[in-house]
Amino acid sequence: MTTSKTRPTPPDADRPADRSGRFSRVPGFGTPSARFVWLWSIALLVANVGIVATGGAVRLTGSGLGCPTWPRCTDDSFVPHGELGLHGAIEFGNRLLTFVLIVVAIATFVAVVRYASATRRDRWLTALIALGIPFQGVIGGITVLTQLNPWVVSLHFVLSMILVSAATVLVYRLRPHPRAMPPADTASRLGRRLAWLQYAVTWAVVYLGTVVTGSGPHAGDADAPRNGLAPDNATQLHTDGVFLLVGLAIAIAVVTHLLRMPEKRTADIILGIIAVQGLIGIVQYNTGLPIALVIAHMTISAVMIIAVTWMVVEFGNRAHSVDDDADAEVSATAGSLRTERGPRGR
């Protein structure tokens, strides 16, 4: 009989394992528990979402060139001076938050590495997220050096979203008490395909949103270039993508509810996020793009990436578990055959 492919929680998952080393005396890190590691993964996810919001604030307040060079703030100083004014303080503050994010990433990596039940995939995923953050800082530096080229700015935003998606997978994998999932079947395989399609369309919608931004008034600086596209046309293309996403979200919600799948809760959450995001998008478009609403729109885009990523790994968790069971059964059968046939295959 096939069982769920959810990674089983060891009986002592909440109990710290004995670990030695330089972190052995650091509270929590010496012998990290399942809950401790999970909370750090959540902190990493929240920090990545936070940097999206603060980065938006930099652009929307016209502070994108508040520090006109990189990695220094000015040619002769790493910190802004009085002549740069409020814009310099806002841009420099966002740069400092990147260092906070790096600290959180390092702490999460140490916790995962020292966690006895962490898998090799958990460690690799945490390491890649941590390495992505300084790379994001380099892209941010290129945006400044290119005077906020809108295409580079969009790459900066997309990379942040990639880190948000990866951190979401980490949070899911490190849950201290994972819910047992039913085995995969024909319906769940259909749901998984729809979830992946929804994930891809969400990324397309997010990217088209950056194209709209690159054609609009919030350039990050009065002299920053625009992408040359007509804002109305770019907005219409973005809206068309949203309509497709709405259709997919409704289809997944209907399938998961009719078949009483455990993923139906995530499907409902995604529909709710789309509704809120759509409402904010309509209001901001018709009210001249007020800063607060645009920041909210960007932040909810990150929340949307979290939700669609969560749905993909939920469905994927079923398939992976069944595949693992099948592999285990094949290995066990092969082992028993080798035992019966003897060392020379007799």
Side-chain angles (χ1 to χ4, degrees), residues 15-34 36-37 106-119 122-123 126:
R15 287 184 311 186
D18 293 332
R19 311 284 283 182
S20 57
R22 67 181 65 184
F23 292 95
S24 58
R25 296 184 181 180
V26 180
F29 291 97
T31 52
S33 66
F36 180 82
V37 176
I106 293 173
T108 305
F109 176 73
V110 171
V112 171
V113 167
R114 296 181 61 81
Y115 177 44
S117 298
T119 66
D122 297 330
R123 298 186 185 99
T126 311

Side-chain angles (χ1 to χ4, degrees), residues 117-133:
S117 298
T119 66
R120 180 180 299 179
R121 186 175 297 180
D122 297 330
R123 298 186 185 99
W124 271 107
L125 180 58
T126 311
L128 289 174
I129 295 171
L131 291 173
I133 294 168

Side-chain angles (χ1 to χ4, degrees), residues 191-334:
R192 183 173 50 159
R193 292 188 183 96
L194 289 173
W196 272 109
L197 183 57
Q198 177 180 249
Y199 183 77
V201 172
T202 300
W203 275 105
V205 169
V206 167
Y207 182 74
L208 289 173
T210 68
V211 174
V212 174
T213 299
S215 67
H218 294 301
D221 187 81
D223 299 323
R226 300 284 73 204
N227 61 23
L229 300 177
D232 289 345
N233 293 339
T235 301
Q236 183 59 56
L237 186 59
H238 177 63
T239 304
D240 292 340
V242 171
F243 285 144
L244 178 57
L245 180 59
V246 170
L248 281 169
I250 292 174
I252 294 175
V254 170
V255 169
T256 54
H257 275 272
L258 286 179
L259 300 177
R260 298 182 179 179
M261 295 181 177
E263 294 87 355
K264 65 183 180 182
R265 181 179 179 184
T266 307
D268 292 340
I269 291 173
I270 290 174
L271 277 176
I273 294 172
I274 291 176
V276 173
Q277 183 74 316
L279 179 62
I280 292 177
I282 292 171
V283 172
Q284 72 170 7
Y285 180 78
N286 289 285
T287 56
L289 302 175
I291 291 177
L293 285 182
V294 176
I295 292 176
H297 198 59
M298 292 177 62
T299 305
I300 296 176
S301 293
V303 176
M304 184 68 193
I305 288 290
I306 292 173
V308 297
T309 302
W310 194 273
M311 172 156 282
V312 166
V313 293
E314 271 190 319
F315 276 113
N317 186 43
R318 286 204 200 190
H320 180 65
S321 142
V322 170
D323 292 342
D324 285 347
D325 292 340
D327 290 343
E329 289 175 8
V330 170
S331 299
T333 303

